[in-house]
Amino acid sequence: MKRTINAIAVFFLTTVFAVQAYAQKPSPELLNPLNHALVLVDHQSQMGFATKNIEMEVLRNNAGILAGASKIFNIPTVVTTVAAKTFSGPVFPEITEFYAANLSIDRTTMNCWEDLNAQKAIVAKNKKKLVFAGLWTSVCIVGPALSAKAEGFDVYVITDASGDVSREAHEMAVNRMIQAGVKPMTAMQYILELQRDWARSETYKGVTDLIKRFGGSYGVGIQYAQDMLKH
């Protein structure tokens, strides 16, 4: 009887440890702070004027989540602009708060992958996964996303930190990229995928503070919980 109980106990513990071991191996499809670079493309005034598929306030907040998250998690990041001094204007303040405007790479090309300085800066991050967001989806995001994909990079696009002149233009661009193997995600998904575990105390405060600022209703909920439910 004792031998049977011991056998059952060994089986139980082995099963538990096996499950735990498996749980520590997340999918390689998931982003983490070490496996990717972020590219923020043309979040500029003139590009924003004609963006119609998403409310500008929401787009700016989502851009702020990306820029802030990249600082919190030390993500290699490239900020690039197009014709900043002659047409498209300044970068959103939600980005320049974290990345000085004079550090962005300005271009004349619509596709930043076709600009020598921008492409070199992105590739120099030495990451096989690239995450893009910007304006407009059908031009300045489709171009580098498909180009990087063709060169063997694993490409992701933050769809709600990107925008276009119409809902159809944005959706057709996203569909086109998905058909080519590009992976869509949202800004909130991005930051939560990086945090992954609320026990990671070194980034917990930074993440929750950022979401309180830019996370809409979710941010208000965090603020409420922290104030009302002391723990």
Side-chain angles (χ1 to χ4, degrees):
M1 180 68 175
K2 184 176 181 180
R3 183 176 299 175
T4 301
I5 293 173
N6 288 339
I8 293 173
V10 169
F11 173 78
F12 174 77
L13 291 174
T14 301
T15 302
V16 169
F17 287 137
V19 170
Q20 289 178 338
Y22 179 78
Q24 298 304 312
K25 296 179 181 178
S27 167
E29 290 290 319
L30 295 174
L31 298 174
N32 66 57
L34 300 177
N35 70 358
H36 74 284
L38 176 67
V39 186
L40 300 176
V41 183
D42 305 350
H43 287 102
Q44 297 169 263
S45 304
Q46 177 63 36
M47 307 304 291
F49 294 156
T51 297
K52 302 299 182 184
N53 69 295
I54 183 172
E55 291 293 330
M56 186 50 54
E57 180 182 5
V58 176
L59 176 65
R60 289 176 59 182
N61 283 340
N62 290 336
I65 288 174
L66 296 185
S70 71
K71 283 295 187 180
I72 293 168
F73 292 98
N74 297 312
I75 307 299
T77 300
V78 173
V79 179
T80 180
T81 55
V82 63
K85 298 300 182 182
T86 59
F87 180 73
S88 297
V91 176
F92 295 171
E94 290 80 3
I95 293 176
T96 56
E97 175 181 341
F98 301 100
Y99 293 97
N102 62 356
L103 296 179
S104 63
I105 300 171
D106 198 46
R107 327 174 314 276
T108 59
T109 64
M110 298 181 198
N111 178 2
C112 66
W113 205 261
E114 295 180 55
D115 179 86
L116 181 61
N117 291 329
Q119 194 267 354
K120 283 177 63 177
I122 296 168
V123 173
K125 301 303 182 184
N126 199 30
K127 302 295 181 182
K128 292 303 293 182
K129 291 182 183 292
L130 298 177
V131 179
F132 289 94
L135 303 175
W136 296 321
T137 321
S138 61
V139 182
C140 302
I141 296 303
V142 161
L146 295 185
S147 300
K149 183 69 179 174
E151 293 190 23
F153 289 88
D154 193 12
V155 180
Y156 298 69
V157 168
I158 310 295
T159 57
D160 63 354
S162 303
D164 217 312
V165 297
S166 69
R167 179 175 296 179
E168 182 175 9
H170 176 77
E171 291 178 352
M172 291 304 101
V174 172
N175 288 339
R176 181 182 179 188
M177 289 186 286
I178 290 173
Q179 289 174 17
V182 174
K183 299 154 188 175
M185 61 191 304
T186 65
M188 191 63 69
Q189 182 181 358
Y190 177 76
I191 191 172
L192 296 181
E193 198 159 304
L194 297 183
Q195 178 65 23
R196 201 82 60 80
D197 187 342
W198 292 120
R200 291 175 178 166
S201 57
E202 66 275 11
T203 53
Y204 176 85
K205 186 177 188 303
V207 167
T208 53
D209 285 349
L210 190 69
I211 293 174
K212 282 192 291 185
R213 288 186 60 198
F214 297 125
S217 297
Y218 182 27
V220 171
I222 292 176
Q223 182 184 25
Y224 175 86
Q226 289 180 342
D227 189 68
M228 302 298 291
L229 307 174
K230 304 297 185 182
H231 57 80

